[in-house]
């Protein structure tokens, strides 16, 4: 009833060296007795007797015991084999031959199957069967090295392996064990793998251009031309600047329109999509439609190529005519290398500016100021003339007032007096006539506030009256009416003296000379003479002068100024009497005594 059959350990290491020793226990842990004789030794003792005087012949000691797993350690039988695998899902191969190596380990009678890995094979290769004892049949037998030989079929787990060869150690071992090794067979190769390994037959180059080679050579290389599309023959046509792209990879052409800001066109960048453009068509039948959706190679005799484009050439693309006037640097290099063209002078396509017709300004019609009327000739929607805002703010409420007399052949107009107001803020003039009782003339506004042009100025270049044009005795012509300045207010003198650098010296001096007699009267009044007596004296002298008809007051003033060379306003008695005699002015002794010798004061 023995159940334990394990063997004791007989292999050990000492000082790094492996050695074997005798077992201490028997199989299953049985006790081993020292000097125990085997059954054969007992049989010899029983059957043999003493044959020699000195005892039996000494027998050699038995050899040391070595287990089988020690004897066959790291000794492996290696067979080259292959198996056939069906491929039901491929149209290129129906079966596949897979080469493997079958390894038999003599130490424990185990086996393993390994398939060499092939890069990019797409198969799960390597160890197909792990190392173990392989069952031979359903009775529980296992494969033994005696079952292995060359040229046999070995079925393992339903897969049949054909053993075709082995290594030298395997052959020597089998022959040493009395097994006749069959001759080796040729290892069958996989037909699909051999087909893949065969060199690909060189492709015969076509006689014409190769599209694939052209694509690889000229991919991303584009010729760029700058052109003008002349569309002036159509209604509302114009010159459209365009860019023509010629793609060298597939000989296609694309046209893009260049848009500018506010050009009045829809912003569609592509005028013609990228496509091959026919140059010459094959002769068509009369019943062939002129408009087709697609054009094949059979209908086109020649397509557009790079030689059809160039600076200065005119090309017709789908019915539109384009004038090429320039190209980019890459295009110039391409034509220089391939066609030997060196002249790339751009064509001048800039429009010459149209000669502007001179604008004829119609004559001024008298309505409003010339600048305001001129706006109707310059714009369809006239705008008011621009004003000098700075000048208006600086001279606001500054007005120069003058007393003027009307020059008219009508006797009734000789005694009419007007107030001329000059507004410094906008250089406008207004004239007002103070009403005089029982004169028969209705006073009031004679001229509303407006700019007045000088005589001789044109509507294109109007010249208006300025503050420097108003001097005592000067004539102002207002729309055909002539007015003579005979007086000014005190503000005019003060303003001219404060801004003397902005006015001519003659204008300032004229106003000063006019106000000089008044200044003398003021000084006389302030000197102690009663004002009433001075006023009566002036009235009496004026009456005496009015009796003399006609009397030229202007020449009389000029004579006084002529003799008063120093401009002091004083004349001695002798010169004063000589001037009075020249103009036949009666010199009363009583008046001369009363009048001080001051120029221009007696003339009032």
């Amino acid at each position: 009833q023995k159940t334990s059959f394990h063997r004791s350990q007989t292999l050990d290491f000492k000082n790094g060296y492996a050695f074997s020793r005798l077992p201490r226990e028997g199989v299953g842990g049985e006790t081993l007795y020292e000097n125990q004789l085997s059954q054969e030794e007992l049989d010899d003792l029983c059957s043999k007797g003493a044959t020699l005087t000195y005892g039996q012949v000494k027998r050699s000691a038995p050899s040391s015991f070595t287990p089988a797993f020690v004897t066959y350690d790291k000794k492996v039988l290696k067979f080259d084999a292959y198996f056939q695998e069906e491929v039901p899902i491929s149209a290129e191969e129906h079966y596949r031959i897979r080469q493997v190596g079958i390894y038999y380990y003599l130490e424990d009678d185990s086996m393993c199957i390994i398939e060499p890995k092939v890069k990019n094979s797409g198969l799960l290769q390597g160890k197909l069967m792990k190392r173990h004892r392989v069952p031979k049949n359903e009775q529980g037998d296992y494969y033994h090295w005696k079952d292995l030989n060359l040229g046999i079929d070995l079925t393992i787990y339903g897969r049949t392996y054909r053993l075709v060869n082995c290594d030298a150690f395997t052959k020597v071992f089998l022959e040493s064990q009395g097994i006749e090794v069959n001759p080796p067979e040729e290892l069958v190769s996989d037909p699909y793998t051999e087909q893949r390994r065969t060199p690909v037959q060189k492709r015969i180059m076509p006689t014409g251009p190769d599209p694939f080679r052209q694509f690889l050579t000229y991919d991303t290389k584009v010729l760029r031309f700058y052109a003008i599309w002349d569309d002036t023959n159509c209604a509302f046509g114009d010159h459209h600047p365009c860019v023509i792209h010629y793609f060298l990879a597939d000989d296609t052409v694309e046209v893009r329109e260049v848009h500018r800001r506010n050009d009045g066109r829809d912003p569609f960048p592509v005028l013609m999509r990228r496509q091959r453009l026919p140059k010459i068509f094959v002769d068509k039948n009369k019943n062939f439609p002129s408009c087709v959706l697609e054009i094949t190679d059979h209908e086109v005799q020649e397509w557009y190529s790079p030689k059809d484009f160039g600076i200065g050439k005119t090309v017709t693309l789908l019915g539109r005519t384009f004038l090429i006037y320039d190209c980019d640097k890459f295009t110039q290099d391409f034509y220089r290398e391939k066609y030997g063209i060196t002249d790339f002078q751009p064509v001048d396509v800039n429009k010459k500016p149209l000669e502007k017709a001179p604008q004829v300004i119609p004559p001024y019609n008298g309505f409003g100021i010339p600048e305001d009327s001129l706006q109707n000739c310059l714009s369809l929607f006239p705008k008011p003339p621009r004003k000098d805002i700075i000048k208006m703010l600086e001279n606001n409420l500054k007005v120069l007032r003058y007393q003027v007399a009307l020059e008219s052949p009508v006797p009734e107009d000789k005694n009419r007096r007007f107030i001329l107001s000059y507004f410094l803020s906008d250089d406008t003039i207004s004239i007002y006539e103070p009403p005089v009782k029982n004169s028969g003339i209705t006073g009031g506004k004679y001229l509303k506030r407006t700019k007045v042009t000088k005589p001789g100025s044109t509507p294109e270049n109007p010249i208006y009256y300025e503050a420097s044009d108003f001097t005592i005795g000067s004539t102002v012509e207002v729309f055909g009416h002539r007015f003579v300045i005979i007086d000014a207010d005190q503000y005019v003198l003060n303003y001219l003296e404060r801004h003397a650098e902005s006015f001519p010296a003659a204008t300032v001096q004229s106003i000063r000379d006019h106000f000089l007699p008044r200044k003398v009267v003021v000084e006389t009044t302030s000197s102690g003479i009663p004002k009433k007596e001075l006023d009566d004296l002036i009235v009496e002298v004026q009456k005496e002068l009015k009796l003399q008809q006609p009397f030229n007051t202007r020449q009389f003033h000029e004579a006084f100024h002529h003799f008063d060379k120093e401009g002091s306003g004083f004349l001695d008695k002798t010169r004063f009497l000589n001037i009075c005699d020249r103009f036949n002015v009666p010199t009363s002794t009583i008046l001369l005594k009363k009048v001080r010798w001051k120029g221009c004061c007696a003339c009032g």
Side-chain angles (χ1 to χ4, degrees), residues 156-324:
I156 301 176
Y157 295 123
R159 179 176 289 174
T160 302
Y161 298 89
R162 181 72 176 179
L163 279 63
V164 296
N165 202 351
C166 64
D167 57 1
F169 171 77
T170 304
K171 184 177 180 181
V172 172
F173 177 78
L174 293 178
E175 290 178 349
S176 64
Q177 300 298 326
I179 299 176
E180 184 179 356
V181 180
N182 298 329
E185 299 178 358
E186 184 179 359
L187 187 62
V188 179
S189 301
D190 183 28
Y192 181 73
T193 305
E194 294 297 328
Q195 179 184 355
R196 293 290 301 272
R197 290 177 180 176
T198 55
V200 181
Q201 186 178 3
K202 293 185 178 180
R203 185 167 175 261
I204 300 176
M205 299 299 296
T207 56
D210 186 7
F212 184 68
R213 181 182 181 86
Q214 180 182 357
F215 173 79
L216 295 179
T217 305
Y218 296 109
D219 187 27
T220 69
K221 295 181 180 180
V222 183
L223 304 180
R224 177 179 296 178
F225 302 93
Y226 302 99
I228 289 292
W229 170 33
D230 189 359
D231 192 31
T232 54
N233 295 331
C234 301
F236 309 104
D238 197 0
H239 291 84
H240 303 266
C242 301
V243 177
I244 301 176
H245 291 154
Y246 189 94
F247 297 86
L248 296 173
D250 53 359
D251 295 325
T252 54
V253 181
E254 177 191 59
V255 181
R256 289 178 171 268
E257 186 175 359
V258 180
H259 293 278
R260 296 184 178 89
R261 179 179 292 183
N262 299 328
D263 58 359
R265 301 187 182 92
D266 293 333
F268 293 108
V270 179
L271 183 64
M272 296 184 189
R273 65 177 179 85
R274 180 178 175 179
Q275 57 183 315
R276 292 187 68 188
L277 296 179
K279 181 180 179 182
I280 301 176
F281 288 92
V282 180
D283 295 337
K284 301 177 183 178
N285 298 328
K286 294 182 179 180
N287 56 358
F288 188 82
S290 59
C291 181
V292 294
L293 297 179
E294 295 181 359
I295 300 176
T296 60
D297 295 339
H298 302 286
E299 301 167 358
V300 179
Q301 183 177 353
E302 184 181 356
W303 301 88
Y304 272 104
S305 61
K307 64 182 180 180
D308 299 321
F309 297 87
I311 298 177
K313 291 185 178 181
T314 301
V315 292
T316 302
L317 306 178
L318 300 182
R320 295 178 175 87
T321 303
F322 296 88
L323 172 62
I324 300 176

Side-chain angles (χ1 to χ4, degrees), residues 560 562-565 570-581:
F560 273 95
H562 177 71
F563 287 102
D564 187 12
K565 297 181 180 180
F570 293 89
L571 290 178
D572 55 8
K573 179 177 180 182
T574 304
R575 291 183 179 180
F576 176 72
L577 295 176
N578 291 335
I579 294 174
C580 292
D581 294 340

Side-chain angles (χ1 to χ4, degrees), residues 414-431:
K414 290 184 179 181
N415 296 327
R416 297 178 65 181
R417 297 293 181 267
F418 300 86
I419 303 299
L420 186 147
S421 301
Y422 182 84
F423 297 87
L424 295 172
S425 60
D426 54 358
D427 300 328
T428 55
I429 296 175
S430 68
I431 300 177

Side-chain angles (χ1 to χ4, degrees), residues 363-411:
Y364 176 56
N365 55 8
F367 293 96
I369 61 176
E371 288 84 354
D372 196 7
S373 299
L374 184 62
Q375 298 300 320
N376 296 279
C377 304
L378 301 179
S379 175
L380 184 62
F381 301 97
K383 298 180 180 179
R386 300 186 64 179
K387 298 180 180 180
D388 191 352
I389 304 299
I390 303 300
K391 182 178 180 180
M392 294 178 62
L393 295 176
E394 291 179 351
N395 300 313
N396 187 27
L397 303 178
K398 294 181 181 180
V399 184
L400 304 182
R401 293 180 177 85
Y402 302 89
Q403 185 179 18
V404 296
L406 179 62
E407 286 189 357
S408 174
V410 181

Side-chain angles (χ1 to χ4, degrees), residues 478-543:
V478 181
F479 303 114
H481 300 273
R482 297 173 60 87
F483 296 89
V484 180
I485 300 177
I486 61 176
D487 197 3
D489 60 0
Q490 185 67 31
Y491 180 77
V492 175
L493 177 62
N494 297 337
Y495 183 82
L496 294 183
E497 289 180 346
R498 285 198 305 269
H499 304 85
E501 67 281 356
S502 302
F503 295 91
T507 303
V508 180
Q509 189 62 34
S510 174
I511 302 299
R512 286 176 179 173
D513 294 345
H514 178 71
F515 278 91
L516 187 59
R518 298 183 184 180
K519 184 177 180 181
V520 174
V521 172
V522 173
E523 292 177 355
T524 305
T525 305
S526 61
S527 62
I529 303 176
K531 185 176 184 303
K532 185 175 183 307
E533 294 182 4
L534 185 59
D535 293 338
D536 295 341
L537 178 60
I538 293 174
V539 172
E540 185 177 355
V541 172
Q542 289 178 349
K543 288 182 179 179

